[in-house]
Amino acid sequence: MIAFCIIVLLLPVCGSVPLTGWVQSPGHPRGYDPNSRLTWKECAPTGHRITLTLIHLDVEESFDCEDDSLKIFADEELLFKLCGRKSMKELQASINPFLHSSRGGCLSVSFLADYSNPERHTGFRGFYAIQDVDECTDPENECTQLCNNYIGGYRCFCRPGYVLNPDEHTCQVSCSEDRNGSREGVLMSPGWPEPYPENSVCSYTLAVEEGLQFELTFTGVFDVEMKENGQCIDSLTIKPLSGDVRTFCGRKLPSFFLTRSQHVEIIFRTDYKGANRGFSLSYRVREMNCVGPVTPSSSLISQHSYSEYPTGYKVKVKCDKGHVLKSIKSAEVEYESTCQKNGEWSPVIACEPVDCGIPELSELMELSDKDPPTTYQKQISFKCKSKYYQLDNTGHFTCNAEGYWESESGEKLTEDSPKCEPVCGMNTEVSFGGRIFGGKKASLGQIPWQLLHRSSPRGGASLISDYWAITAAHVVDGYEQSTLNWLGGIIDAQDKNAVTMETEKIIIHPKYNKVVKGTSPNNYDNDIALIKMSARVPLGPNIRPVCLPKITDELEGESTISGFGKVKESKMSQNLLYGPVEIFSLDKCDSRGLPVTHNMICAGGQSIDSCKGDSGGPLFSPVLGYGSPDKPYRLIGIVSWGPPECGNESFKGYYTKVQNYLDWIKETMEKN
């Protein structure tokens, strides 16, 4: 009884929870009746567990214990479902070792007999006990050093020289030290030169008056635990009041350095294991000086060159090339600064890179990258928005020191801006052969530079840019002050979806021999005119310009003519027709008495000819179907004049030689 009372004092819960007891089936040991039932449950208090020891088992045996059964649960999980007979030896070997709860958990028993019991069975009996758990034997108790178990719980404590953290599990060395006012001394890891202890967090504080700084020198061995990849496991951190924080580990002895601060905190941290030796460093104070540069991207201008400058020393601060003073709106790049007692320069004005800004772009152009950096030495590039345009010059520029975008050749963007010029001489359809006089129909996009003027006199023109077209002078003679409409992007003269272009200017070559309106000219020399449209032509797959010829091109072999002109008798073609013609020397062509000049080309073929209504249209090379990006279609001639009998093989047609007018075309377009 005395022993029991002592237990009660140590275990406050004994008054409400029996420490031991028996649990048995109804009627034991005489035997249980059919339809017998028993439910039992006991829970252990905190820091304890409950165990059950079966000393007898005799329950009707059936498959999977379907008739009568004894179920034992621990913390609501089924441990065993039992039936049949087992000896005490069998129970001790295979059942009893597993009949226990978790710490603070519960055991429960459920006994159930069915309606029949052909043979009398005595049932079961077991002894339960509530036992204290020794938490100190549990590797997960998280005590980093020592553990003390007591009934219902455990407590961590530390070896001498350590203190227990607020988490009540971790021990750490009490090694922090305030050396405020100390001008020199030595700091060492705990236990130096022996290995330092685990779970250390040592903080050493150094502080002196303004105008001084600490000089740190590591001595002897430096050995702070580090992973193979260079990551610190343990660490030594030097943290000045201002300036860079440095962290060290490994075995390489850190070099001497100045803290540039009158206040320094040195923090040494270790983990829970290791056998490294730590560190030893000495410190002393010295006067605070200033070092350069005063601000990034600048240099010092001084009568003397020092690695450090004394208090009160004045220097000129000059921004590096391509940088200007941030707070000054002008292009100033220089100011005066003085070394202060705290080792800082004053004033400090940042030098920021020159910013060239985003340049103004034409409606056809855009930046290759969205929101690119635009400061000194940064690069930008341009591209055309549409695939029907290409840059006429380099699209790459660099921001220079003066704040201008500069090309690789040194040209300023404002002076040498790239332009998006239409891609010329390309089509979307490929075909071969055909004739214009009674000839073959063109496909949509096959001759996309062909334009049509339906009013009297009916005529054609060739688009040579997104604003300009070229035609024969006699087609527009007398209409210089009028507004004419031209159709493009079609192969059917009646197409209601044609692109309509309105003229802004009609410029006839100044040496063309003008005639009285309503009559035919008797001299077709300089039969060429330029048409400027009032708005930009919307280029696309079915309407795009033809290239002008090169001055060095040799005009020979086959070319192609196209137009909506007369096909037989007085009937004009509704469809765009084309066909190949051969170029001949002028002395092999019959002009019917009309004057022929070097400004003309003579061309024709078998039953292939331009005719009335084709005037102003193109003669282009190479033959349709053989153009490529490397060999675009070029306008070599303009349908000008010929014999009345279109398609007569005895006579050829005459075309204005575009090659002779390249300078006039260029100058006229630039001036207008």
Side-chain angles (χ1 to χ4, degrees), residues 371-517:
D371 299 325
T374 58
T375 53
Y376 178 57
Q377 292 189 330
K378 300 298 183 181
Q379 293 185 326
I380 59 172
S381 59
F382 306 105
K383 64 180 181 180
C384 298
K385 294 180 181 178
S386 168
K387 67 179 182 179
Y388 300 106
Y389 289 83
Q390 62 187 359
L391 293 176
D392 68 338
N393 209 333
T394 178
H396 303 284
F397 289 82
T398 302
C399 182
N400 67 15
E402 287 72 42
Y404 294 102
W405 291 107
E406 189 175 71
S407 68
E408 295 174 358
S409 59
E411 298 291 333
K412 291 181 181 179
L413 180 60
T414 54
E415 300 172 354
D416 189 33
S417 300
K419 298 179 180 63
C420 282
E421 298 288 355
V423 177
C424 67
M426 300 305 300
N427 62 2
T428 54
E429 290 287 334
V430 177
S431 183
F432 301 91
R435 296 183 294 178
I436 179 169
F437 182 77
K440 189 171 183 180
K441 296 179 182 179
S443 300
L444 193 63
Q446 195 174 14
I447 311 174
W449 45 85
Q450 176 80 52
L451 304 184
L452 170 64
H453 173 53
R454 285 196 299 220
S455 302
S456 179
R458 185 171 180 139
S462 299
L463 194 67
I464 58 173
S465 79
D466 53 359
Y467 269 103
W468 291 87
I470 195 168
T471 187
H474 77 270
V475 172
V476 292
D477 188 10
Y479 291 94
E480 294 93 324
Q481 305 303 318
S482 303
T483 298
L484 298 180
N485 288 332
W486 294 83
L487 305 180
I490 58 172
I491 54 174
D492 183 345
Q494 304 302 319
D495 193 336
K496 295 181 179 179
N497 295 319
V499 176
T500 302
M501 291 155 274
E502 186 180 84
T503 60
E504 178 184 304
K505 290 183 180 181
I506 297 175
I507 305 172
I508 294 176
H509 194 277
K511 292 186 178 180
Y512 172 70
N513 183 25
K514 288 180 171 289
V515 298
V516 178
K517 190 171 183 180

Side-chain angles (χ1 to χ4, degrees), residues 184-218:
E184 61 180 335
V186 177
L187 296 176
M188 296 176 290
S189 54
W192 174 268
E194 299 301 320
Y196 52 78
E198 74 277 8
N199 294 314
S200 302
V201 181
C202 306
S203 176
Y204 309 96
T205 302
L206 306 177
V208 288
E209 63 268 25
E210 186 180 26
L212 299 176
Q213 63 176 318
F214 285 97
E215 173 185 298
L216 302 183
T217 305
F218 287 87

